[in-house]
Every structure is written in structure tokens, then in C-alpha cells.
Amino acid sequence: MPFPQTAWIWKDGALIPWDDARIHVLSHVVQYGSSVFEGVRCYRTPEGPSLFRVQAHVQRLLASCRVYRMTPPHDAQALVRACIDVVRRNGLDEGYLRPVTLRGLGAPGIHGEDSPLETYVACWPWGRYLGDDAVERGADACVSSWRRAAPDTFPLLAKAGGHYLSAQLMKAEAIANGYSEAIALSVDGLVSEGTAENLFLVQDGTLITPSIDGSMLPGITRDCVLTVARDFGVPVAEKRVPREALYTADEVFLSGTAAEITPIRSVDRVPVGDGSVGPITRLVQQRYLGIARGTLEDPWGWRTLVDPAMAVAV
Ligand code: PMP
């Protein structure tokens, strides 16, 4: 599928044409994977396009920068503004945004300090990450033979480009074996997360998710799921999850900005529950999407309107 391109990309304070957003082949990021990035969704709502949890994404981008000792010349407010501006200028009413800070062309060695930082925010129309069918009926997942990195190898609270080499191996293995997504174990053999999603399971009415243990990204959608579940009065537990819990759970689902709330209907070909989407998954999914799409009230202030003048009948 060709990249669904738009006209403009924000670069360090200015909007530039899509084709001009180029870097040198010898940029530090190309040699060594030195980028930190975010994925943000924009939803079509009755009041116009709305960014979902953009402040939290921008905060995480700046946190990732700190971990990698990057100091871009933009504060959170400027980055939120950049996200709004790029969506507005492109006339995008629904899609995905990719803010990224990277080390450009500087010195040839590994030490990053001599390679100048560049920050971009791009956006494009993007449908459901794992497909419409997966969101409605569930995806088939496998447990990956690749593990997540140990906490003292890569700082996995940061969302850095280089970390995704491991996710690419997991994804490629899953697809080659006929699955649509992989679930990774941590270095101690417990359940960690998907390649770009956090993981939840439901056992006897309790919503369970692996606790943040340095093996996974603390997802913003994960936080939404926990918030919404608690609000519904669903008992919630963040704890260590052994692999076999995936085979005995009543429900399993993934959470992520791109994947939204995607039910898992089988793990390693073992059906989850009776193989259909479970009630707690559905409850959380409908509330999440309802808030994102502006059909439900936004009690936690998760939506940021891009431009009320862009409201269209939905
Ligand atoms: N884990 C990884 C490795 C991810 O790439 C993502 C996507 N950003 C997530 C979890 C989910 O995070 P979020 O809900 O913030 O999109």
C-alpha cells in the first residue's frame, strides 16, 4: 500500500511541503536509530476534527527526549500547537499524526551530541491498524519467540525508533506464521505487550494487565482503559501475568493509539473464551471510541479540537 501522503509537514516551527521533509542518508538516526517519536490519532467528531490525548503524547515525547539526552527547542505547548497546525493546514478530518525528534547529519560516530536535532510532525489518513475485521471480531495472535529487551538494556519507557527493530522481528515472525499480531514475553518469561500495543485480559470479571516493569511502553491507551474500567466499577489488577494466563482468560485485548481496542480471539490457535468478543472488551471499546469520536461525554478532557470551523455532518 502506498504511503497515504498529505501536502504539508511541520518542521521546527514551519510548515514545509511533504516532499521537502528529507534527511541525509548519513544522518545519525539512519546509522544508529536515534529518533524518539509518538503516534497520535485525530478523530472526526460532531464539533470538527479532534486530537485524542495530544497533551499526554507530547509529554511522553519530551520524556523520551530526556531519557536520550535530547533537548529540542520546543516546549509542550509548541508541540501541541504544531499538531493542531499540521492537521488544520492539511484539511485532515481524521487520521494519524507522527511527531518525531531525530538526530540529523553531524559527526559520524555514535555519540549523538554532535548531530543536530530535527523535529517533525507529519499526519496522514490512516484507518484501523489491524483492520476492521480485527476490531469487530478479534485478531489471531501468537506468543513471539523473540523477547522484549531487559530493562537495563533499552530504556523502554521511552518510545525510541531503535527499540522497534525487535518489534519488527516479532511482527515478521507472526505474519510469516499466519497470525496478525505477536505478544512478547519479558526477559523473565512473563507476558509483556504486543509489538505496538499493551495487553489486557479478563479473568472471572477482573480486568488484568501486566504491571509497568521496564519491559514495556506505558501506553496512553492503557491508561484510558484503566480509567474507563474503574469508572464502570470493573475490578482492575496490574500484576505479573504468566504466559498460560493467555490460554485460560475469558477475554484478551490489545490497546494502542493505532490499534485502539482490538480484541484477541485466539492465542497460539487456542480460542480465547468461546472465541467471540467478550462483554468487558466491548464495554471498554465502545466507551473509548465514543469519547474519541465525540459521541460520548469527555469527563477526563481527552479531546482537543483542531478547528471548530472544520466541523462537518457526521
Ligand atoms: N507498546 C508499544 C511498544 C507501542 O509502540 C505502543 C504504541 N505507541 C503501545 C504500547 C501503546 O501505546 P499508546 O497507547 O500510548 O499508543
Side-chain angles (χ1 to χ4, degrees), residues 184-201:
L185 304 182
S186 62
V187 78
D188 56 5
L190 299 169
V191 175
S192 179
E193 61 170 355
T195 60
E197 309 91 5
N198 294 111
L199 183 130
F200 285 85
L201 29 91

Side-chain angles (χ1 to χ4, degrees), residues 145-264:
S145 68
W146 296 99
R147 295 224 182 154
R148 297 285 298 168
D152 55 354
T153 56
F154 292 97
L156 297 173
L157 292 190
K159 189 167 164 66
H163 300 178
Y164 285 80
L165 281 171
S166 138
Q168 287 177 51
L169 290 170
M170 292 170 191
K171 189 81 179 183
E173 180 191 54
I175 302 286
N177 291 332
Y179 301 97
S180 46
E181 191 51 285
I183 297 166
L185 304 182
S186 62
V187 78
D188 56 5
L190 299 169
V191 175
S192 179
E193 61 170 355
T195 60
E197 309 91 5
N198 294 111
L199 183 130
F200 285 85
L201 29 91
V202 177
Q203 186 76 61
D204 301 324
T206 298
L207 183 68
I208 299 164
T209 194
S211 32
I212 301 293
D213 60 358
S215 81
M216 71 193 75
L217 188 77
I220 292 162
T221 320
R222 178 184 184 278
D223 175 68
C224 294
V225 171
L226 293 172
T227 303
V228 160
R230 289 188 177 114
D231 192 54
F232 278 129
V234 174
V236 168
E238 296 180 64
K239 61 181 196 181
R240 288 153 69 84
V241 177
R243 173 177 181 166
E244 60 272 25
L246 297 169
Y247 309 124
T248 57
D250 301 319
E251 305 179 32
V252 178
F253 64 89
L254 298 172
S255 72
T257 298
E260 299 167 315
I261 308 297
T262 298
I264 296 296

Side-chain angles (χ1 to χ4, degrees), residues 4-251:
Q5 92 181 51
T6 47
W8 301 95
I9 290 180
W10 184 94
K11 185 197 174 201
D12 288 314
L15 287 155
I16 62 172
W18 177 279
D19 287 336
D20 294 350
R22 296 177 183 280
I23 57 167
H24 195 277
V25 68
L26 290 175
S27 294
H28 194 272
V29 62
V30 178
Q31 315 304 318
Y32 306 119
S34 47
S35 65
V36 297
F37 68 102
E38 276 303 317
V40 186
R41 268 199 190 267
C42 174
Y43 287 92
R44 183 185 300 129
T45 78
E47 285 89 41
S50 158
L51 303 179
F52 192 68
R53 299 213 62 179
V54 64
Q55 287 86 359
H57 284 286
V58 158
Q59 291 297 351
R60 190 170 64 188
L61 183 78
L62 292 173
S64 300
C65 284
R66 281 182 77 85
V67 171
Y68 276 101
R69 297 169 189 255
M70 296 171 163
T71 34
H74 312 291
D75 62 12
Q77 210 187 347
L79 291 169
V80 168
R81 193 72 245 163
C83 292
I84 292 172
D85 286 351
V86 76
V87 167
R88 188 184 287 173
R89 182 68 181 270
N90 282 303
L92 189 74
D93 67 342
E94 188 155 76
Y96 190 78
L97 286 78
R98 167 59 37 84
V100 55
T101 294
L102 56 87
R103 292 203 184 275
L105 183 68
I110 285 182
H111 186 48
E113 214 107 290
D114 300 326
S115 298
L117 293 175
E118 301 175 22
T119 299
Y120 297 84
V121 185
C123 66
W124 61 85
W126 211 19
R128 286 170 158 172
Y129 183 61
L130 294 169
D132 289 344
D133 195 57
V135 171
E136 296 312 327
R137 274 185 286 278
D140 299 308
C142 60
V143 173
S144 183
S145 68
W146 296 99
R147 295 224 182 154
R148 297 285 298 168
D152 55 354
T153 56
F154 292 97
L156 297 173
L157 292 190
K159 189 167 164 66
H163 300 178
Y164 285 80
L165 281 171
S166 138
Q168 287 177 51
L169 290 170
M170 292 170 191
K171 189 81 179 183
E173 180 191 54
I175 302 286
N177 291 332
Y179 301 97
S180 46
E181 191 51 285
I183 297 166
L185 304 182
S186 62
V187 78
D188 56 5
L190 299 169
V191 175
S192 179
E193 61 170 355
T195 60
E197 309 91 5
N198 294 111
L199 183 130
F200 285 85
L201 29 91
V202 177
Q203 186 76 61
D204 301 324
T206 298
L207 183 68
I208 299 164
T209 194
S211 32
I212 301 293
D213 60 358
S215 81
M216 71 193 75
L217 188 77
I220 292 162
T221 320
R222 178 184 184 278
D223 175 68
C224 294
V225 171
L226 293 172
T227 303
V228 160
R230 289 188 177 114
D231 192 54
F232 278 129
V234 174
V236 168
E238 296 180 64
K239 61 181 196 181
R240 288 153 69 84
V241 177
R243 173 177 181 166
E244 60 272 25
L246 297 169
Y247 309 124
T248 57
D250 301 319
E251 305 179 32

